[in-house]
Amino acid sequence: MTDDKRRRHSAPVVDGLGKSASRAMLRAVGFTDEDFRKPQVGVASTWSNLTPCNMHIDGLAREAARGADQAGGKSLIFNTITVSDGIANGTEGMKYSLVSREVIADSIETVAGCEGFDGLVAIGGCDKNMPGCVMGLARLNRPSVFVYGGTIQPGENHTDIISVFEAVGAHAQGNMDLIEVKQIEETAIPGPGSCGGMYTANTMASAIEAMGMSLPGSSAQNAVSDTKLADCEAAGAAVLKLLDEDIKPSDIMTRKAFENAITVVIALGGSTNAVLHLLGMASTMGVELSLDDFVQIGKKVPVLADLRPSGHYMMSELVAIGGIQPLMKMLLDRSLLHGDCLTVTGKTLAENLAEVEAYPEGQDIIHAFDNPIKADSHLRILYGNLSPTGAVAKITGKEGTHFTGKARVFHSEEEAQERIMDGTVVAGDVLVIRYEGPKGGPGMREMLTPTSAIMGKGLGSDVALITDGRFSGGSHGFVVGHITPEAAEGGPIALVENGDTITIDAVNNTIELDVTDAELQRRRQNWQAPAPRFTRGVLAKYARTVSSASNGAVTDLP
């Protein structure tokens, strides 16, 4: 057995006479005698041709493998799953989306744990496979680098996937004909890469880079570019350096690193899903993080990026002016980031940023601190008698900061969508979509289809939507999700009735149902938990094991 500490996981699999059978199997996939003496680097690829976000990742995986091999390792590529939120949204299939995060983490842990990889590269390109990859790396706690697959280019006339969703609502309102809708459908997605705004994929890529688990610049590169290929090759090589220095995810994914990630997400105006995923990743790593941490950090960090969905620009345009590194340098210079955090370069965050140049003069994508998009966080954690353990809102200020209206209650996303499209939903309504939480859905579907329909019908400032489900990074408007406890567990959202007055205050961070405690107690006594929607299979297993959204909706809590 070797004393090479870089091979502490692969050596028990391949060293010694007793492992002849293992070596025989590996010779068939290309190993030589020399390869058995090298550290093994697993490359977890989320490639598939079922979505543009991941259709190019097979090529990126090969580049990462080449980088590991050239640096003295022996790479092995394996696949994990991915699903497409953009395709599944508004259907029963969307119930599997958040579930896929856990399946991906499980599968990476399973393959690497079984095969004895010493280090890993994981490459993700869509909403759930990115945190799923990082959660898998965190569980294994072996030297690892995450690589983002990169962003898509804008479609014709500066369109993207959200343009298509909102075109459907515009048609229902009579503001767009079918030919115009089809033109947008045909041209909005021009090729490979993740959805183009500061939606969940670009948000999570930025958060993971800010946390130190990606090489500098990885989160802000075009999917089809020489820089992305170079990033992958460098990631493979970086794993060998991490093995030499015995730097593991637990050394990088510290409490301070998560605070850095939250800070960058807020400055970018990122997705509410970042709350769910950062809580989930922290839980997996054993780092204490709560909803209140988003509140405290949000008090001192402004929104600086004018990016979609609530802003104007796309990620590819931010890439063109330098990506997120100059923004991080700005935040560090204001003492809003912890510069002493270790990263996958083997250097600290401050060392990585030392030579980063400022954004070019005249750009207006990233605002100065004295001219922010919003002076404090757009991610609002709301509490009140409707959500005693917390809810998450994305309020940029463009929607207003207060909303009071009458409840219009739905027991599913589909039911709400029908009533939006047929004109039943009117100005002044607070749409309540319940039994869509992690357990109740199950799977905590995104409400992109109804929020896009609301925007397309011109009701974005006149209607609020609250749910125990969640939202796409592309959702905007006056929306509150992640309401906990969820309806399926008897949370107060289960007790709302049509016509109840609901008040949302995004300044004081409250969400209140104008009903007396006595009336709520009466309704609670009459409430009955619904039967599980699934009794076998992955959705049933998920519903039985998933924690509250306020804990990150993880499935492996002790």
Side-chain angles (χ1 to χ4, degrees):
M1 194 69 70
T2 180
D3 59 358
D4 184 352
K5 292 182 179 180
R6 301 180 307 162
R7 298 184 55 237
R8 63 184 61 170
H9 299 288
S10 62
V13 177
V14 299
D15 284 7
L17 179 63
K19 300 303 176 187
S20 291
S22 303
R23 292 194 297 275
M25 295 284 282
L26 288 168
R27 289 181 192 280
V29 299
F31 272 60
T32 64
D33 284 344
E34 183 182 357
D35 291 331
F36 291 118
R37 296 188 289 271
K38 298 174 181 177
Q40 291 187 23
V41 177
V43 179
S45 167
T46 57
W47 172 83
S48 78
N49 67 357
L50 62 81
T51 169
C53 310
N54 294 70
M55 62 189 285
H56 61 303
I57 285 178
D58 56 336
L60 301 186
R62 289 191 292 272
E63 287 299 305
R66 189 162 68 89
D69 292 341
Q70 290 179 341
K74 177 57 181 174
S75 64
L76 296 103
I77 299 174
F78 66 100
N79 265 80
T80 183
I81 67 161
T82 192
V83 300
S84 174
D85 294 358
I87 296 170
N89 248 301
T91 73
E92 280 278 294
M94 192 62 189
K95 295 179 187 290
Y96 292 90
S97 172
L98 187 57
V99 178
S100 75
R101 185 189 75 178
E102 307 302 299
V103 176
I104 290 163
D106 289 349
S107 67
I108 291 175
E109 177 191 1
T110 299
V111 174
C114 178
E115 301 300 321
F117 298 143
D118 301 297
L120 291 118
V121 176
I123 309 174
C126 201
D127 297 12
K128 308 310 160 305
N129 62 47
M130 301 167 68
C133 284
V134 174
M135 288 164 70
L137 301 181
R139 290 183 192 174
L140 292 156
N141 200 31
R142 302 175 190 181
S144 305
V145 177
F146 175 79
V147 175
Y148 178 41
T151 190
I152 198 170
Q153 292 295 305
E156 190 175 293
N157 298 319
H158 209 243
T159 52
D160 63 7
I161 184 61
I162 305 305
S163 307
V164 187
F165 278 99
E166 293 184 359
V168 175
H171 173 68
Q173 186 69 2
N175 295 330
M176 189 175 291
D177 63 34
L178 287 173
I179 293 174
E180 292 173 302
V181 175
K182 192 167 187 291
Q183 286 173 337
I184 294 174
E185 173 192 326
E186 290 175 342
T187 60
I189 313 294
S194 298
C195 300
M198 189 47 63
Y199 310 143
T200 304
N202 283 315
T203 297
M204 292 314 302
S206 301
I208 294 166
E209 180 179 331
M211 193 185 302
M213 283 298 293
S214 294
L215 293 174
S218 183
S219 71
Q221 293 167 340
N222 294 317
V224 180
S225 65
D226 291 341
T227 52
K228 180 47 66 184
L229 293 174
D231 179 45
C232 294
E233 182 182 347
V239 174
L240 274 296
K241 182 179 179 182
L242 294 173
L243 282 164
D244 288 337
E245 299 180 15
D246 195 27
I247 297 173
K248 301 179 291 295
S250 58
D251 300 311
I252 296 170
M253 295 173 64
T254 62
R255 163 76 188 203
K256 285 183 176 180
F258 278 98
E259 291 179 356
N260 285 347
I262 294 171
T263 297
V264 169
V265 166
I266 292 170
L268 288 169
S271 166
T272 53
N273 279 318
V275 179
L276 194 70
H277 296 323
L278 288 171
L279 290 172
M281 291 189 290
S283 174
T284 303
M285 196 71 262
V287 171
E288 293 233 353
L289 197 71
S290 73
L291 289 172
D292 289 336
D293 292 312
F294 289 83
V295 175
Q296 295 308 314
I297 294 171
K299 290 177 180 178
K300 57 186 179 181
V301 179
V303 179
L304 299 176
D306 185 16
L307 296 167
R308 290 189 178 187
S310 56
H312 176 70
Y313 293 100
M314 293 191 187
M315 191 67 178
S316 58
E317 292 165 302
L318 180 59
V319 169
I321 64 165
I324 72 166
Q325 289 277 297
L327 171 63
M328 291 172 66
K329 180 75 176 295
M330 291 166 59
L331 293 165
L332 180 66
D333 289 346
R334 300 277 290 217
S335 299
L336 293 172
L337 291 178
H338 302 289
D340 58 343
C341 287
L342 189 64
T343 74
V344 292
T345 64
K347 300 178 181 178
T348 65
L349 183 71
E351 289 172 327
N352 290 343
L353 295 173
E355 304 301 322
V356 170
E357 296 183 1
Y359 289 118
E361 289 289 333
Q363 66 81 27
D364 60 351
I365 302 175
I366 302 297
H367 286 214
F369 283 99
D370 59 3
N371 181 34
I373 303 291
K374 190 174 186 291
D376 58 1
S377 179
H378 64 302
L379 296 175
R380 315 304 292 185
I381 309 302
L382 311 181
Y383 294 94
N385 68 350
L386 243 180
S387 187
T389 53
V392 180
K394 182 162 75 171
I395 306 295
T396 65
K398 296 177 182 179
E399 314 84 354
T401 55
H402 297 76
F403 195 99
T404 297
K406 298 294 184 180
R408 195 179 292 275
V409 181
F410 304 101
H411 285 193
S412 73
E413 177 186 357
E414 289 88 349
E415 184 185 357
Q417 177 70 5
E418 290 175 7
R419 299 290 80 80
I420 296 167
M421 298 298 284
D422 71 12
T424 300
V425 171
V426 296
D429 283 348
V430 178
L431 280 66
V432 180
I433 305 179
R434 62 191 180 196
Y435 298 107
E436 290 284 9
K439 290 183 182 294
M444 204 180 181
R445 286 192 288 181
E446 293 179 346
M447 300 295 136
L448 178 58
T449 300
T451 58
S452 297
I454 288 168
M455 299 304 295
K457 295 200 76 171
L459 292 169
S461 300
D462 303 316
V463 167
L465 191 158
I466 70 172
T467 180
D468 53 6
R470 59 194 174 89
F471 295 106
S472 163
S475 292
H476 55 130
F478 214 106
V479 296
V480 182
H482 308 206
I483 290 181
T484 59
E486 63 173 289
E489 295 189 310
I493 190 173
L495 310 178
V496 181
E497 296 181 357
N498 283 315
D500 287 346
T501 298
I502 294 173
T503 298
I504 305 162
D505 183 340
V507 174
N508 295 307
N509 297 329
T510 58
I511 180 167
E512 297 286 343
L513 180 65
D514 188 15
V515 171
T516 66
D517 291 344
E519 173 61 14
L520 278 179
Q521 183 59 30
R522 183 193 68 78
R523 294 182 188 181
R524 189 177 306 282
Q525 290 172 348
N526 294 327
W527 178 79
Q528 291 186 332
R533 289 178 171 172
F534 298 85
T535 57
R536 298 293 298 271
V538 68
L539 292 179
K541 286 193 290 185
Y542 183 83
R544 286 195 297 267
T545 58
V546 70
S547 69
S548 169
S550 62
N551 294 324
V554 295
T555 56
D556 64 344
L557 283 181

